[in-house]
Amino acid sequence: MPQPRSGLTGMIVVSVSWVALLSLGCSSVTTVHPLPWRIEPADQGRFEGTWLVGDDSFQIRVTDSGVARFAGLDWEDDRFRLEQGEMTICRGKHLGFLSVRTQEDGEWMNHYYLVQFKFTDPGELVLWLPEADAFAQAIAQNRIEGVVDGEGAGTDVTITGPPEALLELIDDPDDLELFDYRNPLVLRRVTVWEPPPRQAAPNTE
């Protein structure tokens, strides 16, 4: 797999004012169903903490149900506004993926953005966004179920097939067409979250 290079072109990325982790130019790839939840034992500790991308910072925590939540503050109309989203972590046999959705006006989106991820040292999380044209071609070849709207730079792809079939398609380290490896998004963790100690139960004796 090509090594990540610095620099982003044509990416509208986190501002989680920021909350758009996620569209590539005017094109997009989303899925109706999140990928299966599959994590490694160390993933919770790797994801949790305060992260920086550009000048924006945000927090990630993993819930008891395994879904990761992220949140940041945006300054708008002379007040702070909380922006938040959630992501399902999915480890395939070879690669790692996130199914990410955000809130719009307090309502959860009804689709998920697809992102490939990899942790690097020290404390960096590299994300790659999907190539809409490549996914549109996969749908045309009946390799995956989905709907394609538009073409060229304005291609919007919605994957409608089962999440297991989508994972089988994308979990191939030799397929260099489905994700944009030329333009990675690199997040840097600046603090590690330490859960507060649990208080001992009061002694009633």
Side-chain angles (χ1 to χ4, degrees):
M1 179 182 298
Q3 293 300 311
R5 297 184 304 177
S6 60
L8 298 171
T9 60
M11 238 181 221
I12 302 171
V13 234
V14 247
S15 103
V16 216
S17 8
W18 71 249
V19 175
L21 230 188
L22 302 143
S23 51
L24 178 59
C26 297
S27 299
S28 67
V29 176
T30 60
T31 176
V32 174
H33 309 289
L35 289 168
W37 175 72
R38 298 176 184 170
I39 69 171
E40 294 179 351
D43 277 339
Q44 179 170 348
R46 289 171 177 163
F47 274 102
E48 290 189 326
T50 302
W51 294 84
L52 283 180
V53 55
D55 295 327
D56 291 312
S57 66
F58 60 97
Q59 305 278 330
I60 297 179
R61 301 286 187 273
V62 179
T63 67
D64 292 339
S65 65
V67 174
R69 294 285 179 90
F70 57 90
L73 290 176
D74 184 28
W75 180 256
E76 184 176 305
D77 298 329
D78 289 334
R79 63 186 180 91
F80 284 110
R81 185 178 67 178
L82 179 67
E83 302 278 11
Q84 59 183 328
E86 65 179 20
M87 55 191 181
T88 301
I89 304 165
C90 178
R91 291 279 191 175
K93 293 181 180 179
H94 307 287
L95 304 171
F97 303 95
L98 303 173
S99 303
V100 186
R101 67 174 180 170
T102 61
Q103 287 187 344
E104 296 178 345
D105 298 323
E107 299 291 331
W108 286 108
M109 300 166 59
N110 59 5
H111 57 272
Y112 296 80
Y113 289 100
L114 184 63
V115 182
Q116 185 182 146
F117 78 89
K118 181 180 180 180
F119 287 101
T120 62
D121 292 326
E124 290 185 343
L125 175 61
V126 181
L127 307 179
W128 293 279
L129 303 186
E131 292 277 18
D133 287 343
F135 276 87
Q137 185 176 9
I139 292 172
Q141 296 171 344
N142 295 319
R143 297 168 62 197
I144 193 71
E145 298 175 39
V147 177
V148 180
D149 292 319
E151 59 183 14
T155 303
D156 293 320
V157 176
T158 303
I159 307 299
T160 59
E164 292 79 7
L166 175 57
L167 179 59
E168 183 177 356
L169 173 71
I170 61 180
D171 189 29
D172 183 355
D174 296 323
D175 190 334
L176 303 181
E177 303 297 326
L178 292 174
F179 289 84
D180 182 9
Y181 294 114
R182 298 167 300 175
N183 298 298
L185 171 64
V186 181
L187 283 65
R188 183 167 58 91
R189 188 163 67 170
V190 292
T191 63
V192 177
W193 184 67
E194 296 290 345
R198 294 185 177 180
Q199 294 184 351
N203 188 350
T204 58
E205 294 181 358

